[in-house]
């Protein structure tokens, strides 16, 4: 979704996840689970890119994680806190959203039509990482995610959008004196969105 050129957004987010962590079967580790709380700060800016609406966003996360499992048959719990990998994203609207000032954007919001956009997200290996640990907050590898998305206005209040992406991972050559590789991971999303009246806020 576009915004007027010059718009800047500061954001704070929180996420919680829990689940099993897959490790190399050759390692003496079983039943490894992780419970992770993640705080993130983000900054986004909108600008004109060859006449199209574009944005650049950076996310800086901090994580608290508790790993529990069995090492050589003994129950073990490890708690870690630190910086996770920084992510940056460049997005541009290819169809349906030229670069706009505030007045043009107000008119655009009334009838956005169909929007087609593309983005590239990059995850840098900046998070806390210890090559002698099985589980870490950082990943010690680069990752990129190209993605395309389409938004369609169903009515004045409702819009439908969908996105297809592909995470491509680099190699981690610093894991317990081994090299980790991961196949690309496909992603798909679809959202039904209802716009609320301006006075609601």
């Amino acid at each position: 979704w576009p915004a007027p050129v010059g718009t800047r957004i500061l954001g704070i987010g929180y996420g919680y996840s829990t689940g099993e962590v897959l490790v190399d079967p050759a390692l003496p580790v079983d039943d490894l689970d992780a419970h992770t709380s993640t705080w993130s700060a983000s900054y986004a800016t909108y600008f004109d890119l060859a006449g199209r609406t574009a944005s650049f966003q950076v996310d800086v996360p901090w994580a608290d994680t508790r790993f529990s499992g069995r090492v050589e048959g003994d129950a073990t719990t490890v708690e870690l806190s630190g910086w996770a990998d920084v992510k940056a994203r460049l997005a541009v609207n290819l169809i349906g959203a030229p670069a706009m000032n505030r007045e043009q954007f107000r008119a655009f919001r009334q009838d956005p039509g169909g929007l087609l956009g593309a983005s590239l997200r990059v995850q840098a290996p900046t998070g806390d990482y210890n090559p002698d640990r099985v589980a870490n907050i950082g990943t010690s590898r680069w990752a990129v995610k190209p993605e395309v998305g389409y938004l369609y206005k169903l009515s004045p209040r409702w819009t439908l959008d969908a996105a297809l992406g592909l995470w491509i991972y680099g190699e981690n050559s610093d894991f317990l004196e081994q090299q980790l590789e991961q196949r690309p991971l496909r992603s798909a999303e679809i959202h039904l969105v209802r716009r609320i009246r301006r006075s609601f806020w």
Side-chain angles (χ1 to χ4, degrees):
W1 185 255
V5 170
T7 298
R8 296 176 180 86
I9 300 171
L10 289 174
I12 295 177
Y14 173 78
Y16 176 78
S17 64
T18 181
E20 182 181 358
V21 179
L22 300 178
V23 296
D24 189 330
L27 298 174
V29 179
D30 298 302
D31 302 328
L32 183 62
D33 289 306
H35 303 266
T36 303
S37 293
T38 304
W39 288 93
S40 65
S42 66
Y43 171 78
T45 181
Y46 286 78
F47 58 97
D48 181 334
L49 181 63
R52 313 302 304 176
T53 298
S55 65
F56 180 75
Q57 179 174 329
V58 176
D59 296 286
V60 181
W62 173 273
D64 288 300
T65 302
R66 178 170 57 86
F67 295 102
S68 59
R70 290 182 296 146
V71 179
E72 296 182 342
D74 296 328
T76 302
T77 299
V78 176
E79 295 186 2
L80 301 174
S81 295
W83 297 105
D85 293 341
V86 170
K87 299 180 182 70
R89 178 175 178 263
L90 175 67
V92 60
N93 286 88
L94 303 174
I95 296 175
M100 296 170 279
N101 58 31
R102 292 183 182 182
E103 290 72 24
Q104 293 168 327
F105 182 70
R106 287 194 191 98
F108 170 83
R109 287 186 73 236
Q110 303 306 313
D111 187 17
L115 302 178
L116 177 67
S119 69
L120 180 67
R121 188 185 305 269
V122 177
Q123 178 176 303
T126 58
D128 289 351
Y129 186 83
N130 185 333
D132 297 323
R133 281 200 297 249
V134 173
N136 280 281
I137 293 176
T139 60
S140 188
R141 68 181 179 194
W142 289 88
V144 296
K145 183 186 184 184
E147 190 171 32
V148 294
Y150 184 76
L151 181 145
Y152 182 73
K153 179 182 176 183
L154 299 173
S155 72
R157 291 276 184 172
W158 292 92
T159 59
L160 182 71
D161 67 71
L164 296 174
L166 181 70
W167 273 110
I168 303 169
Y169 300 97
E171 297 175 353
N172 177 353
S173 58
D174 201 18
F175 176 75
L176 301 178
E177 299 182 352
Q178 301 179 46
Q179 181 169 290
L180 293 182
E181 298 179 0
Q182 182 170 331
R183 288 177 295 183
L185 180 66
R186 295 179 293 272
S187 68
E189 298 180 41
I190 186 167
H191 307 135
L192 181 63
V193 181
R194 185 182 190 278
R195 294 172 60 188
I196 55 180
R197 65 185 185 277
R198 187 172 184 176
S199 59
F200 177 85
W201 300 106

